[in-house]
Amino acid sequence: MVKQNEYLTQLFEQAYQQMVAWTPEELQSFAENVLQQLPISGTVTFHAGPEQAAHLDAAWLTSCQSKLSYQIKAGAPLSEAGFLVDDNGIQYNFTYQVLLDEYKKETRERWLQIIQQGG
């Protein structure tokens, strides 16, 4: 069981590394998809991670604006990879580690079964 958990941790670390290595186009596409699905209105603040900020900047946000039903402005950079949308104190957290931790929690049993079966 310990080995299975170690392997699962390794898989999610690899997934994190892949996310960090997304091309600017992959990152922008992912973020734009997320922004279009958020159930918000009014004005929100967008915070990008240190590496992502170069590609998810104010100019990019302006280019997305026409596809959104709310106003979005750039905020201070985050200290971790990914991005966060702040809707007047309600935070939609899309930092990579949080996304992967949530996915791991939801799918842990299924992944352990796959590992046990040699997958």
Side-chain angles (χ1 to χ4, degrees):
M1 189 66 146
V2 171
K3 282 226 184 270
Q4 291 171 347
N5 281 326
E6 287 174 1
Y7 185 67
L8 188 59
T9 299
Q10 181 183 1
L11 283 175
F12 278 90
E13 178 58 31
Q14 288 173 351
Y16 177 84
Q17 293 304 324
Q18 286 181 339
M19 292 172 85
V20 170
W22 279 344
T23 66
E25 294 79 18
E26 290 170 320
L27 172 61
Q28 290 171 345
S29 177
F30 173 72
E32 189 174 323
N33 257 347
V34 167
L35 293 175
Q36 290 176 1
Q37 294 179 43
L38 289 177
I40 53 182
S41 60
T43 301
V44 301
T45 306
F46 183 89
H47 304 273
E51 301 296 319
Q52 295 73 38
H55 308 294
L56 303 177
D57 58 6
W60 175 79
L61 287 171
T62 298
S63 73
C64 292
Q65 191 62 70
S66 66
K67 300 172 191 162
L68 303 176
S69 61
Y70 53 91
Q71 296 296 310
I72 190 164
K73 62 182 181 176
L78 299 174
S79 61
E80 55 191 301
F83 59 92
L84 180 140
V85 177
D86 187 342
D87 182 8
N88 300 305
I90 299 171
Q91 296 184 334
Y92 297 90
N93 190 335
F94 299 95
T95 55
Y96 299 162
Q97 197 59 58
V98 166
L99 290 173
L100 288 169
D101 287 348
E102 186 64 31
Y103 182 72
K104 183 179 180 180
K105 187 169 42 172
E106 291 174 9
T107 62
R108 185 176 187 284
E109 293 306 316
R110 187 181 66 128
W111 283 110
L112 288 175
Q113 281 181 331
I114 291 170
I115 293 168
Q116 286 174 349
Q117 295 169 357

